[in-house]
């Protein structure tokens, strides 16, 4: 069975990734892509890797009826237009922050409130490694934030397998590429300002902390740096366990959590150049790399995780979740293995 799909907000970076994935997906037929700024232009005009497509951007006011609608819109748009989205599609996958959190109180604290809080209980978080059982048959799916995704995947096995209790001090430092700011990222994302930097842009209070707190049940000290790469999110988590932790404990936890996951790979201090997770190794893929190292002298555990922020951290995660929701092969449309060697991601 083939499912029809549309992408609302298809002219942005994440929208382009969705169009690329859906264009090659064996179970989806791409029916519509919308953009106010690029209406009537071909998708290849905006996304040169899709020049082979004759699909043209249409107005977001004229939504076609489809099986699945992917909304790659800025925060605040989907909650205002969710009725139109749900009228147009049986399944809505939102890539903004509008339906990621559970309660109206969280949106009051971390965002600017929420206009449709009654739908928050209906929404399912898209990350299959965390929420697979609840995704089957879901009709409103919220793709996770890229920084939260990298952090959650790195730390999740430690809680699921009893290595940590949740009372430990955890310090998380995330470094992200310029594409996180979107196609309209502003002055700070322009090449002259971004090139060569390691710039803290959210030393405290980053909104993705809310997702980490919600799904791991712990508070973390969380800082994000903008760095000179296009794609990628790299999380380094410094954990101070209350008691002794061995490498055997860690391998047992991570293998137990991810051994059967199609998109998570362990990279933990092996040989060669790529000894630990790094975004360059997963650029363009839906993979996450996770790894760790022990520091006995300081009684510290260092956890590393790396993703492509636009794939595993956004569009790839969204399609993976849609595959699960519809009962399709989980890896469908997401088999790209990446390239090596490759330039800056």
């Amino acid at each position: 069975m083939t499912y029809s799909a549309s992408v609302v907000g298809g002219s942005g970076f994440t929208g382009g990734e969705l169009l690329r994935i859906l264009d090659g997906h064996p179970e989806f037929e791409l029916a519509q892509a919308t953009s106010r700024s690029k209406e009537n232009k071909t998708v290849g005009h905006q996304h040169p890797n899709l020049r082979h497509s004759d699909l043209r951007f249409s107005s977001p006011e004229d939504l076609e009826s489809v099986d699945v609608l992917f909304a790659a819109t800025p925060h605040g748009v989907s909650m205002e237009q969710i009725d139109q989205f749900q009228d147009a599609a049986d399944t809505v996958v939102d890539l903004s922050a509008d339906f990621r959190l559970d309660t109206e109180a969280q949106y009051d604290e971390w965002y600017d409130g929420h206009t449709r809080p009654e739908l928050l209980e209906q929404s399912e978080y898209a990350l299959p490694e965390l929420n697979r059982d609840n995704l089957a048959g879901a009709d409103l799916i919220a793709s996770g934030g890229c920084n939260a995704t990298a952090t959650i995947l790195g730390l999740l096995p430690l809680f699921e397998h009893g290595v940590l209790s949740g009372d430990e001090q955890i310090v998380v430092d995330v470094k992200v590429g310029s594409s996180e700011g979107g196609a309209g990222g502003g002055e700070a994302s322009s090449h002259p300002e971004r090139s060569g930097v390691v710039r803290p842009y959210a030393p405290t209070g980053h909104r993705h902390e809310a997702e980490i707190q919600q799904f791991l049940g712990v508070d973390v000290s969380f800082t994000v740096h903008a760095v000179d790469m296009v794609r990628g999110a790299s999380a380094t988590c410094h954990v101070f366990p209350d008691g002794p932790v061995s490498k055997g404990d860690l391998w047992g936890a991570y293998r137990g959590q991810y051994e059967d996951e199609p998109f998570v790979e362990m990279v933990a201090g092996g040989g060669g150049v790529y000894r630990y997770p790094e975004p360059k190794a997963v650029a363009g893929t839906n993979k996450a790399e996770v790894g760790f190292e022990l520091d006995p002298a300081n009684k510290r555990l260092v956890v590393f995780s790396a993703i492509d922020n636009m794939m595993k951290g956004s569009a790839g995660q969204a399609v993976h979740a849609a595959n699960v929701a519809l009962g399709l092969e989980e890896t469908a449309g997401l088999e790209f293995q990446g390239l090596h060697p490759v330039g800056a991601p």
Side-chain angles (χ1 to χ4, degrees):
M1 179 178 178
T2 300
Y3 293 87
S4 57
S6 63
V7 176
V8 177
S11 60
F13 290 151
T14 300
E17 284 293 85
L18 282 169
L19 294 173
R20 177 179 68 84
I21 297 169
L22 296 172
D23 179 70
H25 197 294
E27 306 293 343
F28 281 117
E29 179 181 351
L30 187 55
Q32 185 180 27
T34 77
S35 171
R36 284 190 171 84
S37 62
K38 306 297 180 183
E39 186 177 353
N40 295 323
K41 296 185 182 299
T42 65
V43 296
H45 172 85
Q46 181 70 4
H47 306 296
N49 55 332
L50 299 175
R51 284 180 176 143
H52 64 275
S53 174
D54 59 4
L55 183 67
R56 291 182 178 272
F57 290 114
S58 56
S59 169
E61 307 301 327
D62 301 319
L63 294 180
E64 298 179 13
S65 179
V66 293
D67 296 311
V68 185
L69 181 150
F70 294 89
T73 54
H75 172 65
V77 173
S78 289
M79 69 175 75
E80 296 294 338
Q81 299 185 6
I82 188 62
D83 290 336
Q84 296 97 303
F85 293 169
Q86 291 187 318
D87 285 345
D90 296 326
T91 303
V92 174
V93 185
D94 181 46
L95 282 75
S96 77
D98 284 11
F99 296 99
R100 292 173 185 166
L101 303 179
D102 287 343
T103 68
E104 184 177 10
Q106 289 171 293
Y107 281 96
D108 289 339
E109 177 181 359
W110 292 96
Y111 292 89
D112 301 312
H114 204 287
T115 60
R116 297 298 301 275
E118 72 277 10
L119 295 178
L120 296 177
E121 290 186 3
Q122 175 187 338
S123 176
E124 293 292 346
Y125 199 60
L127 191 61
E129 292 84 359
L130 180 74
N131 199 37
R132 179 177 282 105
D133 291 344
N134 293 326
L135 283 170
D139 55 17
L140 179 57
I141 299 169
S143 192
C146 58
N147 303 316
T149 294
T151 303
I152 289 169
L153 289 174
L155 294 174
L156 181 65
L158 302 177
F159 295 102
E160 289 294 303
H161 292 264
V163 176
L164 299 181
S165 67
D167 296 325
E168 297 84 357
Q169 181 182 8
I170 302 174
V171 179
V172 180
D173 181 86
V174 181
K175 295 177 175 63
V176 297
S178 57
S179 58
E180 183 179 273
E187 181 183 6
S189 292
S190 69
H191 182 73
E193 300 295 344
R194 187 71 176 231
S195 181
V197 305
V198 180
R199 177 187 298 138
Y201 77 86
T204 62
H206 193 288
R207 288 170 166 177
H208 289 185
E209 280 188 44
E211 292 171 60
I212 298 167
Q213 291 177 1
Q214 175 170 291
F215 293 107
L216 294 183
V218 296
D219 292 328
V220 298
S221 301
F222 191 79
T223 296
V224 181
H225 287 77
V227 300
D228 187 6
M229 62 182 179
V230 175
R231 291 175 178 261
S234 176
T236 301
C237 308
H238 304 272
V239 184
F240 298 87
D242 293 334
V245 176
S246 70
K247 282 201 172 182
D249 296 331
L250 296 173
W251 278 112
Y254 281 91
R255 284 175 174 156
Q257 190 72 33
Y258 293 135
E259 188 171 26
D260 296 324
E261 288 292 346
F263 294 117
V264 182
E265 296 183 349
M266 287 297 302
V267 182
V273 175
Y274 297 91
R275 299 180 59 211
Y276 298 101
E278 58 179 272
K280 185 174 180 178
V282 296
T285 80
N286 194 51
K287 294 179 181 179
E289 291 186 344
V290 296
F292 55 80
E293 192 59 82
L294 278 172
D295 179 8
N298 292 295
K299 299 181 180 179
R300 178 175 60 120
L301 163 62
V302 187
V303 175
F304 308 98
S305 54
I307 61 172
D308 182 326
N309 60 298
M310 292 197 296
M311 283 294 295
K312 187 62 177 173
S314 191
Q317 181 184 148
V319 174
H320 187 187
N323 287 344
V324 175
L326 297 172
L328 305 177
E329 177 63 41
E330 286 196 24
T331 59
L334 299 168
E335 297 91 346
F336 179 60
Q337 297 297 308
L339 300 171
H340 180 263
V342 65

